[in-house]
Amino acid sequence: MKHEDLLEVMGEIDPQYIEDAVRGSRSPKLLLRRLSPYAGGAAAVLILGFSAFVIYGVIRDGIAQQNPPAGYTETAASLSGTELTQSAGTETGTAAVTTAPPAELPSDEFVEVTVTEPPVTTTARVTLPVPANMEMPDAALNQSIGDRMSVNWLSESGVLAATVEDAQYYESYEDAGLEFSDLTEQFQRDQIYALRTGQDLHYYEHADINDTVQEDDIPLIQERLRDQYFVKIRVKLENINAISYLSQYNGRYPLDHPDDSYARDYDFDIMQGFWFFAYSPDDSYNLFVQINPQYFSAEGEEYPESSNEKRGWIYLPPGESKTFELGAFVPRRVTLIPHTWQYDEKEAEALPYYCFGSGNHSRAFVHLGFGEPSETDT
């Protein structure tokens, strides 16, 4: 029956009956008897409508199974390969989970890839305890002679402290009480190379020459160095609880024959860890002077027969300290480079600007205190 027929049947009810029901003037029983001829028809309409709805749902599900929507998979339909079945004979009615085997795919629809997982390794970082009541070094920038500063850039972990106990400058290395043979082997070779070729080397270059210095070469080398001061300092280095970074090169150096015992945990490279450099306190100017030590009083003590790269190493276990001297030739005058075009370049006496440290202004360093900048510098 169509909904139009249902409305037509309902339209045949006497409006008086509806008004009486609203006003309550007739009893419910009387109203029910008067409506009974039409109730059977209305019930039939409802039954037919419900049956049609059920039949439509069955037909719709059948069509949906034959034509699944995009993205539909058997795995999704079975809850990822599992079926829920009601356990029989239980009062609680809990559901048991039964795992269905996965469907096999044709071999031509997938590619099998074998992934080899790397072995899991953990490396514990060694950290030594700090001795009780140990005074820690100062990490502040721009320190003075006698200050105990932090020099942790020489270590992989832990704390190192360095104190510049004394600093002096001289007209020549002879005035400092040294001989040419006291200077580092690297510096000696560099000077011989410059004497033979007429070319100076930068600090990161090495002289490729096997010639040795002759007695007649010494005066010529001394003359080349007359336009420089020789600065010498005394340094005390303390190992509080530090481990050297040099041990990471074990098995990698020397390049020709890598050695697993290339460095010990408490070997520290002094020659590559410290620099003499010029620092301008005026933020308007830069100074570009950075010189590796050219004199090291402890050179070769730990590794007397080693290659040149180890001659600047010392062995310093935790809880111990060592005092040594370092020196370098530094320019007498320097050029200050302005940051902006508003200022001009100017030359100045270099001594007031010299410092000692890592060469990085963001780390602690010691101002050597060789006087104050002159106002007459031009």
Side-chain angles (χ1 to χ4, degrees), residues 323-342:
T323 301
F324 48 83
E325 292 183 333
L326 294 172
F329 293 91
V330 298
R332 293 174 181 256
R333 298 186 66 81
V334 292
T335 300
L336 285 79
I337 309 299
H339 289 168
T340 65
W341 59 269
Q342 298 174 334

Side-chain angles (χ1 to χ4, degrees), residues 59-93:
I59 295 174
R60 181 192 59 189
D61 293 342
I63 295 173
Q65 292 179 4
Q66 295 178 4
N67 301 286
Y72 178 91
T73 62
E74 286 293 332
T75 303
S78 61
L79 298 179
S80 301
T82 60
E83 296 177 356
L84 298 180
T85 59
Q86 186 72 23
S87 298
T90 59
E91 296 180 358
T92 59

Side-chain angles (χ1 to χ4, degrees), residues 219-235:
L220 299 176
I221 294 175
Q222 292 174 336
E223 185 63 29
R224 294 186 71 254
L225 300 173
R226 291 300 179 190
D227 61 343
Q228 302 181 66
Y229 289 117
F230 184 77
V231 173
K232 187 175 71 172
I233 63 175
R234 185 174 67 251
V235 180

Side-chain angles (χ1 to χ4, degrees), residues 150-372:
S150 171
V151 292
N152 293 342
W153 60 82
L154 294 178
S155 64
E156 175 69 20
S157 64
V159 181
L160 282 169
T163 304
V164 178
E165 299 179 331
D166 183 66
Q168 302 290 333
Y169 71 93
Y170 304 91
E171 294 291 330
S172 65
Y173 68 87
E174 300 101 317
D175 291 343
L178 302 178
E179 297 181 358
F180 186 76
S181 59
D182 293 326
L183 304 176
T184 64
E185 290 188 2
Q186 182 64 56
F187 180 75
Q188 293 182 47
R189 287 198 300 271
D190 292 348
Q191 294 305 307
I192 296 172
Y193 178 86
L195 189 64
R196 302 288 188 265
T197 65
Q199 298 178 358
D200 289 319
L201 295 173
H202 297 285
Y203 68 87
Y204 53 83
E205 297 177 333
H206 299 285
D208 185 15
I209 189 170
N210 295 321
D211 200 359
T212 58
V213 63
Q214 304 297 323
E215 190 68 27
D216 296 340
D217 294 332
I218 301 298
L220 299 176
I221 294 175
Q222 292 174 336
E223 185 63 29
R224 294 186 71 254
L225 300 173
R226 291 300 179 190
D227 61 343
Q228 302 181 66
Y229 289 117
F230 184 77
V231 173
K232 187 175 71 172
I233 63 175
R234 185 174 67 251
V235 180
K236 178 182 178 181
L237 185 66
E238 305 170 66
N239 185 354
I240 297 176
N241 67 330
I243 297 176
S244 173
Y245 71 85
L246 294 174
S247 58
Q248 65 180 304
Y249 297 123
N250 289 340
R252 300 166 55 191
Y253 287 90
L255 296 177
D256 50 353
H257 295 91
D259 183 4
D260 290 335
S261 58
Y262 176 74
R264 295 173 288 182
D265 286 340
Y266 309 123
D267 283 327
F268 297 95
D269 191 351
I270 302 303
M271 298 300 292
Q272 296 301 322
F274 289 119
W275 300 83
F276 293 91
F277 63 96
Y279 172 71
S280 173
D282 189 345
D283 293 337
S284 301
Y285 290 90
N286 275 331
L287 274 174
F288 299 99
V289 177
Q290 189 170 341
I291 303 169
N292 200 227
Q294 297 157 346
Y295 163 68
F296 180 33
S297 62
E299 182 185 35
E301 289 184 0
E302 301 295 344
Y303 297 94
E305 304 300 329
S306 71
S307 60
N308 186 64
E309 62 185 4
K310 282 189 177 183
R311 297 189 66 82
W313 291 17
I314 64 171
Y315 182 72
L316 189 65
E320 297 185 11
S321 64
K322 191 165 189 175
T323 301
F324 48 83
E325 292 183 333
L326 294 172
F329 293 91
V330 298
R332 293 174 181 256
R333 298 186 66 81
V334 292
T335 300
L336 285 79
I337 309 299
H339 289 168
T340 65
W341 59 269
Q342 298 174 334
Y343 300 93
D344 297 327
E345 290 186 1
K346 62 180 182 179
E347 290 199 357
E349 172 65 31
L351 282 175
Y353 300 105
Y354 284 124
C355 302
F356 175 77
S358 71
N360 187 336
H361 298 167
S362 64
R363 295 172 176 171
F365 60 90
V366 173
H367 189 270
L368 297 180
F370 295 145
E372 296 297 328

Side-chain angles (χ1 to χ4, degrees), residues 115-143:
V115 179
T116 303
E117 296 291 341
V120 178
T121 59
T122 57
T123 303
R125 186 185 182 96
V126 179
T127 302
L128 302 178
V130 177
N133 302 321
M134 172 61 68
E135 180 183 358
M136 302 302 288
D138 189 357
L141 303 180
N142 204 347
Q143 302 187 41

Side-chain angles (χ1 to χ4, degrees), residues 100-113:
E104 295 184 359
L105 296 176
S107 60
D108 59 348
E109 292 189 10
F110 68 95
V111 177
E112 184 176 356
V113 179

Side-chain angles (χ1 to χ4, degrees), residues 45-61:
V45 171
L46 294 175
I47 292 173
L48 289 175
F50 178 77
S51 300
F53 177 78
V54 172
I55 293 173
Y56 168 74
V58 172
I59 295 174
R60 181 192 59 189
D61 293 342

